[in-house]
Amino acid sequence: MATRGAEPTGGEIDRTTLKGGVQHEGFLRYRRLYWAKMAGAISATLIVAYLLIDIKPRPNGGSWFGYTLGTAGVLLIVWLAFLGVRKRAMTPGRWSLKAWTSAHVYLGLSLIVIGTLHTGFQLGWNVHTLAWVLMMIVILSGLFGITAYTTLPGKLSTNRDETTEAQMLETLADINRQLFDAAQPLEAGSAAVVQRAIDENAFSGGIWRRLSSRQQIGGTAEALAEFRARSSAGDSPLDTLYDRLEALLSRKQAALARVRRHLRIKGLLQVWLYIHVPVTFALLAALSAHIISVFFYW
Amino acid sequence: MADAYRIAIIGSGPAGLSAAGRAAELGLSHVLLEKTDHLSDTIYKYQKGKHVMATPNQLILRSDMDFDAGKREVVLGTWDEQAASLGVNVKLNADVTEITGDAGNFQIKLAGGETIQAENVILAIGTQGNPNTMRVPGGDKPHIQYQLDDPTEYVDEHIIVIGSGDAGIENALGLAADAEQGNVVTILNRSAEFARAKDANVKLLQQAGEQGRINIMTETTPSEVLDKQIMLDTRDGQTKIRCDRIIARMGSAPPRKFVEACGVEFASEEREAFPKLSPAFESTKKGIFVIGALAGYPLIKHCMNQGYDVVEFINGNTDLKPADEPLLEEKFRGLPGGRSVADWLEFLRARVTILNELSPLQMREFMLDSEVQFFRRGATIFEKNEPGSSLFGIAEGKVSVQLSEADPSLTAPIDQGSIFGEVGLVSGRRRGSTITAAEDTIVVEIPRMAALKLMATVPAAKRAITNISTERQLLQMFGSGLTSEDLVEVMKTAEIVNVKAGEAIINEGEEGTDIFVIRSGSMVVEKMVGRKPVFLSYLPAGSYVGEMSLLDGGRRTATVRAAIKSEVIKVDGAAFGTLLERKPQLLDRARRDMSAREDVNNFVEAKKDSFSGVVDMYSSVASFLVENGIGEATDVLLIDEHLCVGCDNCEKACADSHDGLSRLNREAGRTYAHLHVPTSCRHCEHPHCMADCPPNAIHRGDDGEVFIDETCIGCGNCQRNCPYGVIRMEKTPPKKPSLLSWLFFGIGPGPGEPDHDWIDANVADDTPKKAIKCDMCAGIEGGPACVRACPTGAAIRVAPEEFLSVSRLETEQL
Ligand SMILES: Cc1cc2nc3c(=O)[nH]c(=O)nc-3n(C[C@H](O)[C@H](O)[C@H](O)COP(=O)(O)OP(=O)(O)OC[C@H]3O[C@@H](n4cnc5c(N)ncnc54)[C@H](O)[C@@H]3O)c2cc1C
Ligand code: HEM
């Protein structure tokens, strides 16, 4: 009953098109798991090769097979680390960071096979094993990362509910202003209780506190309990003020909870990078040490 | 009473002031009447310190007053000084309310009751108009004001803001922004919703309401203003509240009524129309001259030149050549024929039918906006599917339209005098066919804004364009070897219908065989499944709908309603049926189209039980998108919040691809079912931002992107007109140190938009603010940076018709 007269075909500008309608396709499913298959195939081939090729006296990094694996591994690691640059250098060209991330994740995982086979399972307390351990830490933190990336964004979005972080903080500041005004008629002791509620902000507490989901009892919760009790007692001339304070405090409590949830989820989405990236640098250093020592002292 | 002045100039903007300066220099008796207590009110009201621009650059300034790009204060200061030194006879606080009499003997009545006599009148009152005033008892009390310059000026006052538009809301928010000021701010709205204001503003207001910073009173109107109080009519009866100050922002009435009352005729009824003028700026009322923004010239330089010219003309200097002569000479240079500017103008005017009725003055102005081009025989003028919304008129030669992509030899001619390109003009979508020059050809290319202005000023041009475009659209739509002769009967029944957003043109279950062609806007097709409407498809401009019942003879099988304000061509079903009988090819084509549609219907029918949840979801997401302006978008950024990790790399990439300023705000914007429409340009079919751009700096580019060029004067009109809040006014920061020096040495602010302090510290003080917005990364290889830089694939850019296709349903179930 209805038909397009003229079908537009894109000009220079790439639009995301997919057969059968346009859809979001995440980095993990990119090109129908192209890089997953690729990495899987590489790993499988290498394992089979490892089992079939009989290296004498025993498999190790110094054999021709070990050198091959080692060289591939180093190149791969350097390339993986290069993602940090790719992400920030907005050069023109037909590249997509999503494709890079997809390849990064799956090829990064294949390093477990490449790196480990390269060691020939000769692990010990030395600089060579240090490189392997660091690599495994980077990879494990990466695994944590993709878990976070797949499970948390939806929650972040739901919690946000169309408000921006700036707006959330603005709301808090605003409730604080109102609390401050409302507390003026109070005597010093009660005013101090309100002040402690005002002083409580979303950033208090260390990094662990920020990332933990445990309910926090702070100035706001205490003040809320206090004024809730007073307003339910209902025998003071200041009752209407107590009602208002109770209302404001419970709004602050809710607003605080939302900001904290927001910051926590955002924190979890980022915190692993604080291991992933520095350890990458440590890994690059350890790899250099490993390579130098191999060539000079082995 | 004083003797009659030779010239009375009304309005002391750049146009009036320059006219007065010329009159003073020539020693003519004159008076400059200004409503306010200072000169040049429009510029006076610019933001403090605004950088005033002097575009177009090539245009020479011809005036006794100086004007150069610079700060508002400097521009105004210079004019004040020069008005005094030239001996301009200024009369401030002189609000002209009526002009009667005739050439040689005009009576000019002022608001105070005084009358001034003059032989000639120059109207230079601009287009700002008068703010609508309060018409209730006490509406003239001194504590009522119609403007708010500095909200921080007021402390500890009970202030009532009247008006539900952006101006009112912004004023209220400004007054309540700082609690320290202690103002009690109340905003009144006659209706229940703030429908006229931008979403972002309404949200802020509601937030302020919830937080108790502003009292919002809806369905409330003032009924009487008392000295310290105001009487209000509310839904629940009358009430009286305290009130120290009233800020009334109820819009303004354009000056047209006043101008017409002076006896000046406008070119047409259209809102965009300007007064009819002779080459000497004389209106249809002898002795009254119109110049400046009111005459349709919104740039300061134009205004000032006209002020000079008009006084010269009145003084009898008829040989004066307009100051824009060199600009036009430049335009016509290099064209075959070697004519003078005046001859070129006459040649084009006489040859192109839709220009026939323009006056020489209008023709000049028209050509300043338009281009003339020469194409050798066989050259391509534009290609099918190219974006472009300009209209072409053939001044000499002939062009041919390619009817079929498969067989380029199938063409139809368009002859000298006629037009082409009108489909893009009407719908804002891509070109429908390729056009080549059939002979050596000279064409006038008329940009969309100039074409709209032409249609508003010349009713005959509008009729001609509408008729031709209707016929061509039908031809193009049904293709298959139809000619305009075949369409004669159908055209007789064709009728252009305006459809409001949400209105249905076809209702499911109804009888009816009429066919509808969507001319502009877009439609959504819905079908009732159970008790809920299910979204079937989205129809952009250029589609037709309604053939099913005609072919099948049944009732309407779905409802078709407008997603946004649209225009459709309604074609009588019987007439179309006859055409189908005569043209088997066309019938085949229609049947093919129909069966594709039936497949979708059947698909939905079949799935409705097993997948009702999915269908519901799809349907409500589609409605959400349409509500958020996707219906008028041509390209839109969507973020899947199941994938978005909030790294803001899209914003950073955007900033790094465009002078260090991001044109998108990822976090802001609406979200539904985790599908987020960030604050970013939708590249509307009919961009709101283009509507009122004094230097005409906003265009649609080669890839369909709407962009702002470097002639932007920073007036902020586009920002105010954009309903989606995607335009920012910013100073362009200097180049940042390179990525590597940041990465290794921590030099510079790093990737993305630098923070405000860094920009402030590094940008020159007198850098002007300019309007910036998404340009879809046109010209950047690889396309939109936001999408390329998204690490997880959350960000995509799509054309709405692709996103809103039912085939999504099939993939959704994988
Ligand atoms: C925010 C903003 C920024 C802009 N920036 C630029 C820029 O950078 N460069 C540029 O070239 N253009 C700019 N423009 C456009 C430009 O300011 C106007 O087009 C120009 O001022 C029009 O001049 P005018 O003389 O025709 O009318 P106006 O400047 O509007 O002057 C009209 C005058 O007439 C007076 N008046 C009105 N009615 C009456 C009456 N009944 N009796 C007596 N007096 C009356 C008014 O008080 C006013 O002083 C900008 C516009 C805006 C709104
Ligand atoms: C030795 C192997 C690896 C190295 C050296 C490495 C290195 C890096 C580096 C340098 C970054 C850039 C971070 C930034 O600049 O923000 C990064 C990002 C990332 N890495 Fe790895 N990585 C490795 C393995 C892995 C693995 C195995 C995974 C997943 C299982 C993974 C997942 C990611 C993800 C998801 C990102 C974030 C992308 C983004 O948000 O931009 N990495 N990695």
Side-chain angles (χ1 to χ4, degrees):
Chain A
M1 168 167 136
T3 319
R4 203 57 231 275
E7 211 60 52
T9 53
E12 259 296 293
I13 286 175
D14 281 336
R15 290 215 181 74
T16 320
T17 33
L18 241 136
K19 274 260 165 324
V22 176
Q23 250 192 331
H24 282 94
E25 181 202 38
F27 67 108
L28 291 177
R29 287 192 312 168
Y30 172 73
R31 275 179 74 189
R32 298 173 178 242
L33 302 178
Y34 176 83
W35 290 109
K37 291 173 192 160
M38 198 64 125
I42 294 173
S43 306
T45 317
L46 291 177
I47 291 173
V48 171
Y50 185 87
L51 296 177
L52 293 185
I53 299 172
D54 190 16
I55 300 285
K56 297 286 176 202
R58 56 153 301 166
N60 80 31
S63 65
W64 68 267
F65 189 58
Y67 272 131
T68 313
L69 286 172
T71 314
V74 168
L75 291 177
L76 196 50
I77 287 173
V78 170
W79 180 80
L80 289 168
F82 200 68
L83 181 67
V85 177
R86 173 72 290 175
K87 184 175 170 183
R88 292 175 180 81
M90 262 327 292
T91 53
R94 298 191 170 269
W95 52 273
S96 107
L97 193 63
K98 169 171 82 173
W100 273 70
T101 318
S102 188
H104 178 97
V105 165
Y106 292 116
L107 295 181
L109 285 174
S110 73
L111 261 180
I112 302 180
V113 174
I114 300 174
T116 310
L117 295 185
H118 167 70
T119 65
F121 299 95
Q122 289 180 312
L123 299 171
W125 293 105
N126 52 38
V127 65
H128 318 295
T129 304
L130 174 68
W132 181 85
V133 170
L134 290 175
M135 182 191 83
M136 290 308 289
I137 293 176
V138 174
I139 293 173
L140 288 177
S141 63
L143 270 173
F144 177 90
I146 56 169
T147 319
Y149 276 21
T150 37
T151 54
L152 295 177
K155 291 189 182 148
L156 186 71
S157 163
T158 311
N159 179 57
R160 206 160 73 71
D161 192 20
E162 298 193 349
T163 41
T164 63
E165 186 175 313
Q167 284 167 345
M168 290 183 211
L169 296 175
E170 179 62 29
T171 306
L172 268 186
D174 197 75
I175 299 176
N176 282 342
R177 269 200 296 276
Q178 293 182 49
L179 273 173
F180 183 82
D181 291 346
Q184 294 312 310
L186 293 177
E187 37 73 38
S190 314
V193 176
V194 178
Q195 189 58 47
R196 274 199 296 282
I198 293 176
D199 290 342
E200 182 178 14
N201 68 30
F203 301 96
S204 47
I207 170 102
W208 292 120
R209 188 98 185 261
R210 188 98 78 82
L211 295 179
S212 106
S213 56
R214 221 159 18 88
Q215 260 278 1
Q216 293 176 32
I217 306 293
T220 311
E222 284 161 14
L224 179 58
E226 170 73 28
F227 287 100
R228 184 166 280 161
R230 287 199 205 176
S231 102
S232 2
D235 49 7
S236 154
L238 288 177
D239 269 347
T240 48
L241 177 59
Y242 293 157
D243 289 347
R244 175 158 162 72
L245 281 170
E246 184 195 339
L248 279 171
L249 286 164
S250 60
R251 271 182 48 207
K252 166 137 191 195
Q253 185 77 336
L256 259 182
R258 175 191 260 192
V259 184
R260 288 202 172 120
R261 231 175 358 251
H262 180 77
L263 293 176
R264 179 167 63 83
I265 300 173
K266 257 183 73 170
L268 285 171
L269 282 167
Q270 283 165 8
V271 70
W272 64 277
L273 278 171
Y274 289 92
I275 298 173
H276 201 69
V277 178
V279 179
T280 294
F281 281 103
L283 168 62
L284 290 175
L287 270 180
S288 314
H290 159 67
I291 294 164
I292 290 167
S293 65
V294 165
F295 281 108
F296 286 90
Y297 307 108
W298 203 249
Chain B
M1 192 170 283
D3 284 340
Y5 292 104
R6 175 89 184 273
I7 305 175
I9 300 145
I10 305 174
S12 67
L17 202 53
S18 169
R22 190 67 204 147
E25 186 68 20
L26 292 174
L28 305 178
S29 93
H30 69 280
V31 63
L32 175 61
L33 301 173
E34 168 56 47
K35 178 172 70 171
T36 61
D37 65 358
H38 45 256
L39 295 177
S40 201
D41 190 48
T42 300
I43 296 174
Y44 186 86
K45 280 190 196 145
Y46 290 179
Q47 207 179 322
K48 288 198 184 86
K50 171 179 165 12
H51 181 89
V52 183
M53 309 210 195
T55 35
N57 282 332
Q58 324 86 296
L59 185 62
I60 311 148
L61 180 70
R62 182 158 70 190
S63 170
D64 301 289
M65 300 271 176
D66 287 329
F67 170 59
D68 221 332
K71 273 207 186 344
R72 155 192 176 273
E73 288 71 17
V74 176
V75 172
L76 291 174
T78 312
W79 289 349
D80 281 343
E81 255 166 50
Q82 294 185 331
S85 66
L86 285 167
V88 173
N89 179 23
V90 184
K91 192 170 168 66
L92 297 176
N93 301 311
D95 183 1
V96 175
T97 53
E98 195 182 61
I99 302 175
T100 51
D102 291 296
N105 183 23
F106 285 110
Q107 275 81 46
I108 303 168
K109 205 146 134 216
L110 305 187
E114 193 184 338
T115 305
I116 287 175
Q117 291 169 12
E119 293 169 18
N120 298 291
V121 173
I122 299 175
L123 274 181
I125 57 175
T127 49
Q128 301 291 319
N130 290 314
N132 292 330
T133 52
M134 292 187 68
R135 286 172 217 272
V136 296
D140 50 359
K141 295 218 185 270
H143 63 286
I144 303 177
Q145 63 193 57
Y146 296 98
Q147 182 162 2
L148 176 68
D149 293 322
D150 183 4
T152 60
E153 240 174 76
Y154 309 101
V155 287
D156 295 328
E157 286 191 22
H158 284 245
I159 304 177
I160 311 277
V161 178
I162 305 175
S164 54
D166 288 308
I169 296 180
E170 280 164 21
N171 285 177
L173 288 169
L175 287 163
D178 185 0
E180 300 280 293
Q181 276 173 251
N183 292 320
V184 178
V185 182
T186 305
I187 185 165
L188 308 185
N189 180 1
R190 191 170 11 167
S191 47
E193 313 277 334
F194 288 85
R196 284 191 300 130
K198 279 187 209 159
D199 249 17
N201 273 336
V202 177
K203 237 177 162 174
L204 287 175
L205 180 68
Q206 272 158 0
Q207 206 171 17
E210 280 160 26
Q211 293 163 358
R213 286 188 288 138
I214 295 178
N215 303 319
I216 304 173
M217 301 185 69
T218 51
E219 297 179 69
T220 303
T221 48
S223 58
E224 186 175 353
V225 181
L226 308 166
D227 276 333
K228 281 271 160 200
Q229 284 176 316
I230 186 169
M231 186 78 88
L232 302 173
D233 283 334
T234 70
R235 215 182 34 191
D236 316 313
Q238 279 211 329
T239 168
K240 210 192 275 182
I241 63 173
R242 189 173 151 198
C243 164
D244 305 317
R245 183 180 301 279
I246 295 176
I247 295 178
R249 301 306 300 263
M250 304 176 297
S252 54
R256 175 160 179 173
K257 266 222 180 74
F258 165 72
V259 177
E260 281 179 330
C262 300
V264 173
E265 279 174 33
F266 278 65
S268 75
E269 288 304 312
E270 309 275 324
R271 212 166 52 89
E272 300 89 2
F274 295 107
K276 286 191 198 160
L277 298 178
S278 77
F281 302 102
E282 192 164 14
S283 69
T284 51
K285 173 85 182 171
K286 280 234 137 329
I288 297 188
F289 297 78
V290 181
I291 55 171
L294 182 63
Y297 301 83
L299 289 172
I300 295 172
K301 253 193 200 169
H302 283 146
C303 293
M304 296 183 72
N305 286 351
Q306 291 175 355
Y308 180 102
D309 293 359
V310 74
V311 171
E312 285 290 329
F313 291 140
I314 294 175
N315 199 33
N317 176 4
T318 45
D319 297 335
L320 184 74
K321 283 235 188 297
D324 51 29
E325 191 81 2
L327 289 184
L328 289 174
E329 266 167 24
E330 188 54 39
K331 282 214 166 164
F332 295 129
R333 195 198 313 275
L335 290 175
R339 297 177 177 85
S340 71
V341 168
D343 288 349
W344 267 116
L345 292 175
E346 182 49 27
F347 172 80
L348 297 173
R349 192 193 65 76
R351 294 284 189 103
V352 180
T353 320
I354 57 167
L355 302 182
N356 288 167
E357 287 181 32
L358 290 183
S359 71
L361 181 68
Q362 284 173 317
M363 200 53 214
R364 284 198 96 83
E365 187 209 341
F366 173 79
M367 276 318 299
L368 282 176
D369 293 336
S370 307
E371 297 297 332
V372 194
Q373 291 173 37
F374 171 72
F375 290 95
R376 285 236 168 266
R377 183 189 163 144
T380 302
I381 300 178
F382 58 68
E383 304 241 14
K384 181 171 171 147
N385 288 331
E386 230 173 68
S389 53
S390 53
L391 179 70
F392 289 81
I394 308 172
E396 190 170 271
K398 196 186 209 177
V399 302
S400 56
V401 189
Q402 255 175 43
L403 297 177
S404 143
E405 261 176 298
D407 181 3
S409 65
L410 263 181
T411 60
I414 300 178
D415 293 326
Q416 177 191 312
S418 189
I419 54 168
F420 59 93
E422 73 294 332
V423 177
L425 172 74
V426 175
S427 70
R429 303 243 166 197
R430 291 162 189 273
R431 300 289 191 197
S433 22
T434 300
I435 305 255
T436 54
E439 305 166 359
D440 285 0
T441 301
I442 296 176
V443 294
V444 192
E445 178 172 6
I446 313 166
R448 184 181 144 75
M449 287 314 292
L452 293 181
K453 203 157 150 187
L454 177 71
M455 286 166 74
T457 32
V458 185
K462 178 169 178 155
R463 264 196 312 279
I465 295 175
T466 311
N467 272 340
I468 294 181
S469 65
T470 308
E471 183 183 305
R472 296 245 180 90
Q473 188 152 19
L474 294 177
L475 281 177
Q476 186 190 332
M477 181 113 302
F478 303 120
S480 310
L482 284 190
T483 63
S484 38
E485 285 77 61
D486 298 326
L487 277 183
V488 173
E489 289 305 310
V490 170
M491 272 298 288
K492 276 192 201 146
T493 71
E495 181 190 347
I496 293 189
V497 186
N498 285 303
V499 198
K500 289 202 283 283
E503 201 180 319
I505 50 171
I506 292 180
N507 286 300
E508 185 174 351
E510 218 176 49
E511 304 251 5
T513 53
D514 291 344
I515 308 268
F516 297 86
V517 176
I518 303 163
R519 215 169 162 245
S520 72
S522 58
M523 301 270 154
V524 293
V525 185
E526 294 167 345
K527 184 175 182 56
M528 293 302 278
V529 174
R531 286 174 37 251
K532 283 196 201 129
V534 168
F535 185 99
L536 287 189
S537 65
Y538 166 87
L539 305 176
S543 328
Y544 72 96
V545 62
E547 84 288 3
M548 253 187 189
S549 325
L550 181 61
L551 297 176
D552 268 8
R555 287 170 184 268
R556 301 289 197 189
T557 54
T559 296
V560 182
R561 66 176 79 248
I564 53 158
K565 190 167 140 275
S566 305
E567 241 179 43
V568 296
I569 307 170
K570 182 171 147 191
V571 177
D572 180 61
F576 194 71
T578 322
L579 181 66
L580 284 180
E581 276 164 26
R582 279 196 290 121
K583 294 275 165 187
Q585 257 176 311
L586 181 58
L587 186 63
D588 269 1
R589 154 105 199 260
R591 286 212 180 280
R592 266 201 315 277
D593 292 346
M594 184 175 87
S595 74
R597 287 293 309 159
E598 272 175 343
D599 286 350
V600 172
N601 279 6
N602 295 340
F603 173 75
V604 170
E605 278 293 328
K607 299 286 165 169
K608 72 178 183 211
D609 300 322
S610 45
F611 295 113
S612 70
V614 180
V615 173
D616 270 4
M617 189 65 192
Y618 164 71
S619 211
S620 46
V621 167
S623 317
F624 160 75
L625 289 174
V626 169
E627 264 164 40
N628 278 281
I630 309 308
E632 61 177 325
T634 62
D635 179 284
V636 64
L637 176 63
L638 294 178
I639 292 181
D640 181 348
E641 293 208 331
H642 283 302
L643 289 172
C644 174
V645 298
C647 65
D648 281 334
N649 216 38
C650 44
E651 284 184 20
K652 291 180 191 146
C654 179
D656 286 345
S657 309
H658 299 96
D659 299 329
L661 292 171
S662 169
R663 285 105 206 275
L664 92 101
N665 184 339
R666 175 195 57 84
E667 221 180 1
R670 305 290 314 273
T671 311
Y672 182 81
H674 296 106
L675 189 61
H676 180 59
V677 187
T679 302
S680 164
C681 182
R682 293 135 164 77
H683 305 276
C684 301
E685 290 167 3
H686 294 306
H688 304 267
C689 53
M690 272 189 204
D692 186 14
C693 174
N696 225 335
I698 308 182
H699 314 276
R700 191 181 285 281
D702 291 341
D703 287 311
E705 78 280 9
V706 175
F707 70 96
I708 305 178
D709 71 21
E710 67 294 339
T711 62
C712 169
I713 56 173
C715 69
N717 281 357
C718 51
Q719 187 191 32
R720 281 186 289 278
N721 285 336
C722 171
Y724 307 110
V726 305
I727 300 182
R728 302 168 62 188
M729 306 298 302
E730 296 291 340
K731 298 180 171 186
T732 308
K735 249 188 123 45
K736 290 182 295 193
S738 76
L739 177 65
L740 289 183
S741 57
W742 171 79
L743 216 52
F744 292 122
F745 311 110
I747 299 172
E753 181 169 322
D755 61 32
H756 248 99
D757 294 344
W758 190 89
I759 296 183
D760 271 349
N762 286 280
V763 82
D765 260 352
D766 58 349
T767 313
K769 280 194 179 172
K770 295 209 168 193
I772 58 165
K773 68 178 279 300
C774 165
D775 59 2
M776 266 155 73
C777 287
I780 299 180
E781 200 205 334
C786 47
V787 174
R788 282 190 291 142
C790 177
T792 62
I796 60 171
R797 269 198 169 273
V798 290
E801 59 267 35
E802 290 174 46
F803 198 78
L804 293 179
S805 90
V806 83
S807 44
R808 248 174 86 73
L809 264 181
E810 300 176 58
T811 41
E812 209 95 306
Q813 283 138 46
L814 291 177

